[in-house]
Amino acid sequence: MNRNRENNVKKTIMEQTLDRLGKREEAPVIVFLLLLLLYVISALTVSLTAGSQRVVVFGGNPVSIYTFAGVFASVSNLCIVLMVVFCGTRGFIASVAVLLVQCPMILAGIIARGNLTSMPGLFGNLLTLIVVCFIHVNNRKLDDSRQKLREQASTDVLTGLPNGFASTELINGLIRENIPFAAVTIDINNFKSINDLMGFDMGNKALVEIASRWRSIADGGLSGTNDFITRINGDEFSLIVRDYSSEEEVVKTIRLYEQALEEKLCIERYEFVANASFGYALFPEDGQTKDALITNSVAAMREIKRINSSEHILHFSFNLLKTHEQLIMENKVRDALDHDRIGFRLQPQFDISHRLRGFEALARMKDENGDSISPVEFIPAAEKAGLIDSLDLTVYRKASAFFGEIIKRTGADIVLCINASVKHLMKSDFIDEIREILTAGGMSGEHLEVEITESIMIESAEKAIDCLKKLTDMGVRIAIDDFGTGYSSLSYLNIFPSEILKIDKSFIDKINEEESEAKYVEAIISLAHVLDYRVIAEGVEEQEQLDILRRIGCDYIQGFFWGRPLSAEDAGALVTESFPSS
Ligand code: C2E
Ligand code: MG
Ligand code: MG
């Protein structure tokens, strides 16, 4: 016992945690006490019934009471076996004790009664004692090998630290018991360049050195908190901090691990400095499940790495998740571009008499499972990731190839409208791209319309106007998209070399609900006409909206009421139907 306690004192916090992880679950004390009670009752019943000569009638037959002794003896033996199997050392000691006490009592009974009827009971007892010892020794062996297996499964081979499995087990345990902790994800900065410049072997040695510095902080309890450091994989580590009184204390602890890297690493003849990024999430404030906490601490770690500042520690905040979701969406866009999962739909535009004017090409994207993702999600992600020009160009090429072919076949005088993001338009080769798609599709500039938003004027008016002029020189028309959602400054209309104004759906939605809204839209249309613009109403969904727009002089209609975005095939059929004589 004493040696055990001594061992426990010598054991580091980390080893104690691992011990706890490897321990076999024992039955609760209450189960042990119930088994013991059942055993005592059965044993007493055996001694009371064993010598009795009385007979009772059972199921219509006379039965001697002493025959019940055998039944209760079996129950008491069963209790003994269950205690040894399920109640650990406590069960074993109690079983041996009661069996040892019982033997001399049975022997005394035999001597006192002077007959040998209780002799089988004595042998039964001794046999049970042997079985109990056998089960206990076997249990110990099983526990030892289970512990060894558990240690192997929970230890990182390279650094000797516990691994991701151990970290997950500990997090699950802490969540189960509702114990507050901080989950810290650590990633060594620029570790790839250490590996690339100095070789894999040196990289491994650097990891071992870093792990040993961190281990001594955790083992030595230097931080004042209870720390558990593990290596997850590659250059990624995880730290679980417990027993802190404030968040400042968590940061103080993490700072200690950061400072441990300030001293140069000496690997063979080389000396170099390493540093790491630390992201942390607190339980329960920042997440209630293991997955949420890990995801959140990783998001914080990635963000601080991305910012690339002198500060290397960041607490998770819910705004970061957007960045993380954004990253996921960016990857989806990249993947869709690589695997040709970007397509287009064509939404028809009509003049007010329902004659087909043309189509707006709208980008469509599918993820790896074939599920469609809305442009409202993937367009902003593509813009942020610098992928919008590739995405736009894919849509332009596919839509213009189809469109060029259909006007050649039908001779229809229709227009293809394409959306251009500000970032894309500002690129120096935008004009070349437009030239390329016109040539490839065999279309003249008059068949193309480029939709831009007002924001272009704010971002870079001069450069934008220069680019738009080059487009109009090629015969391409410019439309101002989503008018009303941005600055809605009519003064821009004078500066833009454009001739089409698209009034945003949000105005059309209210046009039949509020008189003032209809008046406002009417004023925009009149002014646009004065400035020589044609007006398209976007998102027309109802007859009533259409009637009002017709009354107030709108030129063109786009919306679900007259046409949803169509597949190329359906758009082709609509052109053939609209221009039958061509
Ligand atoms: P947008 O250019 O204003 O396109 C019109 C959007 O309104 C389309 O949504 C269209 O499906 C939707 N719409 C049209 N009529 C109705 C209607 O009656 N009811 C309703 N509820 N919606 C209607 P979509 O396809 O989701 O596109 C959203 C936005 O994504 C577009 O707005 C445009 O800004 C952008 N986008 C789409 N394709 C491209 C592209 O190829 N390149 C770039 N840069 N942006 C694109
Ligand atoms: Mg548009
Ligand atoms: Mg629009």
Side-chain angles (χ1 to χ4, degrees):
M1 277 296 271
N2 257 349
R3 262 192 55 198
N4 234 348
R5 197 178 310 139
E6 215 171 277
N7 272 349
N8 243 356
V9 172
K10 273 189 202 153
K11 274 184 177 175
T12 62
I13 293 167
M14 203 182 295
E15 281 162 347
Q16 285 171 27
T17 309
L18 281 176
D19 275 359
R20 240 172 283 135
L21 292 179
K23 225 169 157 191
R24 193 163 56 95
E25 293 259 322
E26 278 179 16
V29 183
I30 183 75
V31 175
F32 165 70
L33 291 175
L34 284 175
L35 285 172
L36 196 61
L37 184 69
L38 187 59
Y39 170 80
V40 172
I41 294 170
S42 313
L44 278 175
T45 317
V46 171
S47 61
L48 289 176
T49 52
S52 172
Q53 300 300 320
R54 283 177 56 201
V55 171
V56 287
V57 178
F58 193 77
N61 300 311
V63 182
S64 303
I65 278 205
Y66 69 78
T67 46
F68 289 107
V71 177
F72 285 104
S74 308
V75 173
S76 62
N77 283 346
L78 182 67
C79 290
I80 292 281
V81 171
L82 290 178
M83 276 198 288
V84 182
V85 173
F86 294 111
C87 303
T89 311
R90 183 196 295 133
F92 171 68
I93 293 171
S95 308
V96 171
V98 291
L99 287 169
L100 287 180
V101 168
Q102 227 183 349
C103 281
M105 279 167 63
I106 300 174
L107 207 59
I110 292 172
I111 295 166
R113 276 197 294 273
N115 67 38
L116 296 177
T117 46
S118 300
M119 215 45 191
L122 184 65
F123 283 122
N125 245 27
L126 289 172
L127 204 66
T128 312
L129 192 61
I130 294 168
V131 170
V132 160
C133 292
F134 180 76
I135 294 176
H136 182 66
V137 169
N138 231 27
N139 264 356
R140 292 298 291 264
K141 276 191 195 156
L142 267 177
D143 278 352
D144 284 351
S145 46
R146 186 179 285 143
Q147 181 67 21
K148 258 186 213 133
L149 276 176
R150 190 95 183 190
E151 267 167 30
Q152 277 166 8
S154 58
T155 306
D156 172 51
V157 183
L158 177 70
T159 59
L161 285 183
N163 62 11
F165 171 71
S167 152
T168 310
E169 289 280 281
L170 179 58
I171 291 180
N172 281 337
L174 293 172
I175 292 176
R176 232 184 352 256
E177 287 168 35
N178 210 11
I179 299 172
F181 66 95
V184 190
T185 298
I186 314 172
D187 198 86
I188 313 289
N189 295 333
N190 300 321
F191 186 72
K192 195 177 171 300
S193 49
I194 299 180
N195 256 350
D196 290 349
L197 289 174
M198 304 169 75
F200 206 65
D201 207 32
M202 290 288 278
N204 277 352
K205 285 183 179 155
L207 288 176
V208 172
E209 171 62 24
I210 292 168
S212 116
R213 288 187 190 182
W214 284 345
R215 183 172 199 137
S216 53
I217 299 176
D219 284 1
L222 299 181
S223 59
T225 48
N226 182 351
D227 311 341
F228 189 69
I229 179 93
T230 59
R231 177 172 173 242
I232 305 297
N233 56 46
D235 60 342
E236 193 176 317
F237 293 79
S238 152
L239 173 68
I240 295 162
V241 183
R242 281 172 282 173
D243 301 340
Y244 50 84
S245 53
S246 63
E247 198 187 327
E248 285 76 48
E249 214 178 329
V250 174
V251 177
K252 220 172 99 201
T253 293
I254 302 175
R255 193 79 65 208
L256 216 58
Y257 286 80
E258 188 192 13
Q259 284 160 358
L261 300 183
E262 279 172 4
E263 197 183 313
K264 279 183 184 160
L265 296 174
C266 304
I267 314 290
E268 291 174 4
R269 295 170 284 122
Y270 301 96
E271 280 193 342
F272 56 93
V273 179
N275 54 43
S277 300
F278 302 77
Y280 67 96
L282 303 175
F283 172 77
E285 301 90 313
D286 299 327
Q288 272 84 52
T289 63
K290 177 206 81 195
D291 287 344
L293 286 159
I294 292 177
T295 307
N296 295 351
S297 64
V298 168
M301 182 275 288
R302 288 213 179 115
E303 180 62 10
I304 196 71
K305 203 182 253 281
R306 192 185 66 82
I307 294 170
N308 202 10
S309 74
S310 55
E311 177 57 58
H312 293 135
I313 303 171
L314 186 70
H315 181 184
F316 164 78
S317 76
F318 282 94
N319 310 340
L320 288 178
L321 277 190
K322 273 195 195 133
T323 317
H324 183 60
E325 277 160 14
Q326 162 90 21
L327 279 177
I328 294 174
M329 189 50 74
E330 280 180 22
N331 283 337
K332 284 194 175 173
V333 175
R334 206 165 276 125
D335 198 51
L337 279 167
D338 289 347
H339 295 95
D340 194 23
R341 288 199 302 265
I342 302 285
F344 68 93
R345 289 250 146 180
L346 293 169
Q347 186 174 27
Q349 294 174 351
F350 299 91
D351 72 9
I352 208 74
S353 327
H354 207 168
R355 266 191 304 266
L356 186 66
R357 169 184 191 256
F359 296 93
E360 177 177 0
L362 295 163
R364 292 293 176 260
M365 184 181 108
K366 286 194 167 149
D367 67 10
E368 65 278 14
N369 305 317
D371 297 328
S372 298
I373 298 169
S374 160
V376 182
E377 289 181 59
F378 69 77
I379 298 280
E383 281 179 346
K384 281 207 180 131
L387 298 167
I388 191 69
D389 36 335
S390 317
L391 190 142
D392 275 349
L393 195 58
T394 309
V395 175
Y396 299 171
R397 279 187 181 141
K398 288 189 176 181
S400 61
F402 164 78
F403 198 79
E405 194 271 321
I406 202 117
I407 48 178
K408 222 177 290 162
R409 183 164 59 80
T410 61
D413 184 19
I414 46 175
V415 62
L416 174 69
C417 309
I418 53 173
N419 289 283
S421 125
V422 179
K423 286 202 175 114
H424 187 194
L425 192 93
M426 291 300 175
K427 277 191 68 190
S428 53
D429 48 2
F430 183 76
I431 302 292
D432 295 334
E433 286 176 9
I434 298 296
R435 216 170 266 130
E436 178 219 302
I437 61 158
L438 286 176
T439 315
M443 292 157 59
S444 67
E446 288 73 32
H447 287 298
L448 194 69
E449 193 165 289
V450 176
E451 295 189 8
I452 51 160
T453 55
E454 292 168 282
S455 58
I456 206 149
M457 296 307 294
I458 292 105
E459 297 201 12
S460 183
E462 247 175 68
K463 197 172 171 204
I465 289 173
D466 188 46
C467 172
L468 298 179
K469 282 213 172 107
K470 282 187 189 147
L471 287 175
T472 51
D473 287 348
M474 288 156 64
V476 175
R477 267 189 293 259
I478 310 294
I480 299 173
D481 201 359
D482 304 338
F483 185 80
T485 54
Y487 289 79
S488 320
S489 170
L490 290 165
S491 62
Y492 288 137
L493 302 187
N494 248 340
I495 317 168
F496 268 129
S498 45
E499 51 188 280
I500 305 285
L501 190 74
K502 296 188 78 176
I503 300 182
D504 192 69
K505 179 177 183 301
S506 51
F507 292 92
I508 311 303
D509 284 345
K510 290 180 266 174
I511 202 171
N512 50 336
E513 287 163 14
E514 290 160 41
E515 181 62 24
S516 59
E517 205 68 22
K519 287 234 155 48
Y520 182 62
V521 174
E522 187 176 7
I524 294 175
I525 294 174
S526 318
L527 206 73
H529 284 166
V530 172
L531 296 170
D532 239 0
Y533 273 79
R534 303 290 95 198
V535 178
I536 301 179
E538 285 191 278
V540 180
E541 291 180 338
E542 296 168 21
Q543 178 72 54
E544 213 184 332
Q545 293 169 342
L546 180 67
D547 293 342
I548 296 171
L549 287 164
R550 190 176 272 138
R551 178 168 56 78
I552 62 180
C554 186
D555 304 288
Y556 303 111
I557 300 294
Q558 180 178 346
F560 291 178
F561 187 61
W562 270 350
R564 286 178 174 264
L566 304 171
S567 65
E569 200 186 24
D570 290 344
L574 179 64
V575 178
T576 320
E577 188 189 301
S578 305
F579 297 89
S581 53
S582 321

